[in-house]
Amino acid sequence: MTKTIQHTVIIGGSSGIGLATARKLLGPDMKVTITGRNEEKLKSAWKSLGGAAGKAAFDAAKPDEVRQFSRASGLSTIWCWRPAAARASAPSRRLT
């Protein structure tokens, strides 16, 4: 039987809640990729995860950069969820 491995991309995974989420999810059944704008901060976060996660530096506020990441990583869909307080002005949306 083939084992299914899930892949989660955490936008803003170089610190705070994103990095904590990466730590919780990372395991044998879950591939995790962390992203962020600041390459040095991203590299530090990646090292703190033991180098077990993937990493990609890009600005998630720029749809073209998100699409480029999506194509390069082979992901078919990336969704961007926003906190409830921010949804009134800019709802969650599909980016790819």
Side-chain angles (χ1 to χ4, degrees):
M1 178 180 238
T2 304
K3 186 177 186 179
T4 301
I5 297 181
Q6 301 294 317
H7 185 186
T8 299
V9 175
I10 301 174
I11 308 246
S14 59
S15 66
I17 292 170
L19 182 55
T21 301
R23 280 195 182 98
K24 289 280 188 188
L25 292 177
L26 199 57
D29 296 332
M30 179 67 71
K31 178 180 175 184
V32 174
T33 300
I34 57 173
T35 74
R37 292 179 304 231
N38 182 307
E39 288 192 45
E40 288 302 314
K41 198 172 170 182
L42 188 62
K43 185 176 180 181
S44 176
W46 175 76
K47 283 182 179 180
S48 80
L49 296 170
K55 63 180 170 55
F58 65 89
D59 187 344
K62 297 178 179 175
D64 287 341
E65 289 187 26
V66 175
R67 283 191 218 41
Q68 183 179 6
F69 164 75
S70 176
R71 285 185 201 111
S73 62
L75 299 172
S76 59
T77 304
I78 294 180
W79 285 85
C80 182
W81 281 271
R82 297 180 52 85
R87 284 190 198 133
S89 62
S92 299
R93 62 192 172 122
R94 183 176 174 173
L95 297 177
T96 59

